[in-house]
Amino acid sequence: MDSAGPSTHLREKDFTGDDSDTNDDYIAFDISDNESTKSELDSAHDKASRRNTDHESKKSSKRPPDESWKRYIDDGLTRPWAKDFRYRKARNIGERLNMEMTDLVEYLSPTEEEHTMRRFAVHRIRQCAQMVYPSCTVEVFGSFETRLYLPTSDIDLVLFYDGKDARDTTRVLSRLADALRKQGITYTVQVIAKARVPIIKFEETFTGYQIDVSLNTANGVHSAEVVKEMLVQAPALGPLTLIFKHLLGLLKLNEVFTGGLGSYAVVLMVMSCLQTHPKVDMSDAMDNLGVIFVDLLELYGQHFNIYNVGIDVAKKGFYEKMETRNTFAVRDPTDASNDVSRGSFNCQQIRIALKDAFNTLTRAITSLNRQVWDFHKKDDGISLLGCIIHVDRQAIMHRSQVLDAYTSQQWKDMPGAETFDASDNESSAKEQVIVHKQQDVLDKKGKRRSKKDIVYVLEDEDREFKGKGNAWSSGEDDLSLPQLA
């Protein structure tokens, strides 16, 4: 996809809200030539009347901002990432939103203590599985391997076993479930044998993490390697994925078996948005996180043609669906025949939820932009993302408990601790997610760009963004798929 030139970006003045040249609510009054023939009394009366009318007109032209989005302030939920005091220093609404996006990503990203405790849970399960099936191996895949997991995310494991009873998936998983209970690794375990991919689900007793174990599903391990490569190609992929997943989790739309979007599908959808965005290229993505997140909500909540268009990240574009289904179609870059969102049957509700989030967030942006940068009022530092995102108190409490378990060294008293190496850092994916925000921004010629030259896009002026013949539009009957390089 061709890089978008500087001329395609909105300038900073686009956020000043200065619309005096096009203010339709302003009422002009003409003064006729024969007014000088009026008596001084009548003239003074008319002038006073005009001044009053003009004053009322100008007063009414400044419509009060829509404050309905602020209702979340008293909802009792927590926004622990928000550093309100520093948001007041933003030069414009785009920079302000980027600040908060950065803070939210930093809060949601796993700490080293949390990752170590997750590795300890995996170590205990691996030992138990090898006691039941000595020849088996247990591998981690999904968001754990790429460190694109949330504090409340499940841990996805796959058991590779080629014994004589390996074809009896239910029996193999049931035996493992019994062993996990007997060793006290879990108290209750659920065997989901009739799913497209049979799994066992349980909660690990010491860490409290939710675990999913499948049997001989190698594609999950391969997909993790693909995601790692994409994280290098697109630094903004990690932060945007974390926030998008967190929002879906709050909406209870993040589990495939309940019709939601799985982690891998979310990663590919975010990557597709980055690849095909008509205004922000990869080099600008980290400095336009707020813009892309808003566009992400609008794209998949409102404009994406869900009936006829599928996502193909491998070809950096889209493909025409062979059958019309009201679900997202996301082609697996490691296997073109695999639609990773095939089981997400609740896509209509996902679209409605994303559209509502987009509308609420854009109302907040418009209201705050008009209030602060148009009327020059004092910024109250209120959270923008807080109107659609929060953090559950239970999740905050669980993170605190995990940190206490690590710092107090309680895990060393648990079975399996004697063979666990807490210093073994298996992945450097965290640096791929977070450290990019500290890198220099380069222009097309490779020269370092000053932060003051960074532009922010929060509105759309390009009709191709939502226009005809584009997968970003769902309102056209005759859809011609774009050929993107």
Side-chain angles (χ1 to χ4, degrees):
M1 181 176 179
D2 295 335
S3 297
S7 61
T8 62
H9 292 285
L10 295 184
R11 300 169 297 282
E12 184 172 334
K13 71 182 183 66
D14 293 314
F15 298 101
T16 62
D18 184 7
D19 56 353
S20 58
D21 293 335
T22 59
N23 194 339
D24 296 333
D25 291 338
Y26 180 80
I27 302 175
F29 293 88
D30 293 330
I31 302 177
S32 61
D33 294 336
N34 63 353
E35 186 176 0
S36 59
T37 63
K38 294 183 178 181
S39 66
E40 293 183 0
L41 183 60
D42 291 341
S43 178
H45 180 272
D46 290 344
K47 288 181 180 179
S49 177
R50 281 197 300 273
R51 281 197 302 269
N52 292 336
T53 306
D54 189 59
H55 175 73
E56 292 299 326
S57 176
K58 288 183 177 180
K59 190 175 181 180
S60 63
S61 68
K62 294 183 178 180
R63 296 183 300 273
D66 177 12
E67 302 291 346
S68 60
W69 60 277
K70 286 188 177 181
R71 294 172 185 165
Y72 79 90
I73 296 175
D74 299 322
D75 61 10
L77 301 176
T78 56
R79 278 86 183 172
W81 71 87
K83 302 172 184 177
D84 298 343
F85 61 91
R86 86 182 191 100
Y87 302 151
R88 305 173 188 178
K89 301 177 182 179
R91 295 169 301 167
N92 55 53
I93 198 73
E95 185 176 32
R96 180 197 177 108
L97 185 57
N98 261 31
M99 284 182 178
E100 191 172 353
M101 292 281 288
T102 302
D103 291 341
L104 179 55
V105 171
E106 184 177 356
Y107 178 81
L108 293 177
S109 299
T111 64
E112 287 301 326
E113 294 83 1
E114 290 172 331
H115 194 66
T116 300
M117 288 294 90
R118 283 176 178 260
R119 287 179 45 241
F120 180 55
V122 172
H123 178 74
R124 298 184 68 203
I125 296 167
R126 182 180 286 121
Q127 280 194 332
C128 178
Q130 290 175 345
M131 289 180 61
V132 181
Y133 303 108
S135 63
C136 78
T137 58
V138 176
E139 299 290 340
V140 186
F141 68 98
S143 58
F144 178 90
E145 183 64 16
T146 60
R147 290 214 191 183
L148 290 181
Y149 61 82
L150 299 169
T152 56
S153 292
D154 299 348
I155 300 177
D156 298 312
L157 304 176
V158 54
L159 174 70
F160 290 107
Y161 173 64
D162 58 358
K164 60 181 181 180
D165 56 345
R167 292 189 177 184
D168 191 348
T169 303
T170 302
R171 185 172 185 272
V172 172
L173 293 178
S174 296
R175 284 190 62 192
L176 176 60
D178 289 339
L180 291 169
R181 280 196 299 265
K182 290 177 180 178
Q183 292 195 20
I185 296 177
T186 183
Y187 297 127
T188 58
V189 58
Q190 182 182 9
V191 181
I192 306 177
K194 295 185 179 180
R196 186 172 63 89
V197 178
I199 60 173
I200 57 175
K201 295 179 70 71
F202 59 93
E203 179 182 301
E204 202 270 337
T205 52
F206 178 66
T207 62
Y209 288 123
Q210 300 295 320
I211 314 290
D212 292 352
V213 183
S214 60
L215 178 65
N216 296 333
T217 53
N219 59 329
V221 178
H222 296 156
S223 64
E225 297 302 319
V226 172
V227 172
K228 287 181 181 179
E229 293 178 6
M230 290 192 294
L231 285 170
V232 176
Q233 298 169 8
L237 176 62
L240 289 168
T241 299
L242 282 175
I243 298 177
F244 196 32
K245 286 176 59 176
H246 183 67
L247 176 61
L248 290 174
L250 293 174
L251 300 169
K252 307 300 182 185
L253 295 170
N254 61 327
E255 293 284 358
V256 177
F257 72 92
T258 59
L261 287 170
S263 178
Y264 191 34
V266 169
V267 171
L268 296 179
M269 290 171 69
V270 174
M271 186 64 178
S272 177
C273 180
L274 289 170
Q275 288 177 334
T276 62
H277 199 290
K279 284 199 160 190
V280 180
D281 58 27
M282 293 292 190
S283 64
D284 289 331
M286 284 301 293
D287 299 301
N288 288 279
L289 285 178
V291 172
I292 301 175
F293 181 65
V294 173
D295 290 341
L296 191 68
L297 297 176
E298 183 179 22
L299 170 61
Y300 294 119
Q302 188 167 329
H303 293 295
F304 190 82
N305 190 331
I306 195 173
Y307 298 98
N308 304 106
V309 177
I311 294 170
D312 192 344
V313 170
K315 296 183 178 180
K316 299 182 180 180
F318 313 96
Y319 69 93
E320 189 171 6
K321 294 167 66 173
M322 299 302 296
E323 56 178 332
T324 302
R325 293 185 295 118
N326 61 344
T327 59
F328 290 108
V330 184
R331 183 174 285 173
D332 188 345
T334 65
D335 180 7
S337 63
N338 179 31
D339 179 3
V340 299
S341 62
R342 183 186 309 145
S344 302
F345 56 84
N346 213 1
C347 285
Q348 285 292 10
Q349 186 173 344
I350 294 173
R351 295 190 71 191
I352 293 172
L354 295 180
K355 182 178 179 179
D356 288 344
F358 166 76
N359 290 334
T360 302
L361 183 56
T362 50
R363 280 198 301 270
I365 292 171
T366 303
S367 175
L368 196 60
N369 187 45
R370 183 186 299 120
Q371 175 184 346
V372 178
W373 283 280
D374 188 12
F375 298 154
H376 306 289
K377 294 183 179 180
K378 183 179 179 181
D379 183 4
D380 56 8
I382 195 172
S383 168
L384 282 172
L385 295 175
C387 63
I388 61 172
I389 292 177
H390 66 274
V391 179
D392 291 333
R393 294 185 184 277
Q394 185 176 358
I396 297 175
M397 186 180 300
H398 181 242
R399 295 188 84 176
S400 178
Q401 291 171 348
V402 170
L403 179 60
D404 290 343
Y406 177 85
T407 55
S408 65
Q409 303 292 300
Q410 295 178 20
W411 61 271
K412 291 186 177 180
D413 298 328
M414 300 298 295
E418 64 279 1
T419 56
F420 175 66
D421 184 2
S423 63
D424 182 17
N425 296 317
E426 300 174 350
S427 173
S428 60
K430 178 172 181 172
E431 285 71 22
Q432 295 175 352
V433 175
I434 300 301
V435 81
H436 290 286
K437 70 183 181 185
Q438 301 172 346
Q439 292 182 347
D440 292 336
V441 181
L442 305 179
D443 60 17
K444 293 182 179 179
K445 296 182 180 179
K447 295 180 63 177
R448 184 181 181 277
R449 287 169 50 183
S450 172
K451 286 292 183 183
K452 67 180 181 180
D453 296 328
I454 294 172
V455 291
Y456 300 89
V457 185
L458 276 178
E459 296 176 302
D460 169 50
E461 288 182 341
D462 189 350
R463 292 189 177 183
E464 292 182 1
F465 184 65
K466 305 172 187 174
K468 297 180 179 180
N470 196 315
W472 291 64
S473 174
S474 60
E476 301 296 328
D477 295 328
D478 183 16
L479 181 72
S480 57
L481 297 176
Q483 299 297 320
L484 301 177

